[in-house]
Amino acid sequence: MNKSESITELAKALSNFQGKMTAVKKDATNPFYKSKYATLDTIWETIRKSLSENGLCIAQTMNLTPDSKSVLETTLYHTSGEWISGTQLVNPTKDDPQSLGSAISYARRYSLSAILGIVADEDDDANIATKPEAPERIARAETKGEPTMSVAQTEKIFALVK
């Protein structure tokens, strides 16, 4: 995390913001994992007014690391000029515009939620993470009986998550 020299006013505003927030409703379904999630639109609809009322705003920008990897920087600003920011690696599954767009959208949702301390109404990912399935089981997820992901790909994802 990076921050301005002082974050006193920002912390007060963020505390007030969090005290008024309720869980964000999950409004979409991931067909592969059969789990629900809150879309970026829904997150913004839920937080926009309260952010403004507390003198807060968010900027999310794409940057490159020195070794040319894509990262998303999320910065929370306060009207006092104080700020905090965090960076998340954006790692698309394929090297094409659609995969990059999907990875950016995913990173924006999670980074926005993390910097504001907001949650969705039921944390499917946390429930799944506490009870991991064997890679072989995940690789054979129900899509007409055909593997949707190889065991090697699944193991690589498990290793990255750890």
Side-chain angles (χ1 to χ4, degrees), residues 97-113:
Q98 291 77 16
S99 291
L100 179 60
S102 178
I104 290 169
S105 178
Y106 185 91
R108 288 186 67 200
R109 287 188 295 117
Y110 278 85
S111 294
L112 182 59
S113 297

Side-chain angles (χ1 to χ4, degrees), residues 96-134:
D96 63 25
Q98 291 77 16
S99 291
L100 179 60
S102 178
I104 290 169
S105 178
Y106 185 91
R108 288 186 67 200
R109 287 188 295 117
Y110 278 85
S111 294
L112 182 59
S113 297
I115 203 164
L116 294 173
I118 59 175
V119 296
D121 57 1
E122 184 182 314
D123 194 349
D124 287 346
D125 290 339
N127 292 336
I128 291 168
T130 60
K131 298 176 186 171
E133 295 186 55

Side-chain angles (χ1 to χ4, degrees), residues 12 71 81 136:
K12 288 178 192 174
V71 292
E136 296 80 11

Side-chain angles (χ1 to χ4, degrees), residues 10 13 15 18 34 41 58 61 68 70 72 91 96 120 130 133:
L10 183 145
S15 176
Q18 289 176 342
K34 295 186 170 74
D41 296 4
I58 295 281
T61 56
S68 298
S70 296
L72 174 76
N91 194 14
D96 63 25
T130 60
E133 295 186 55

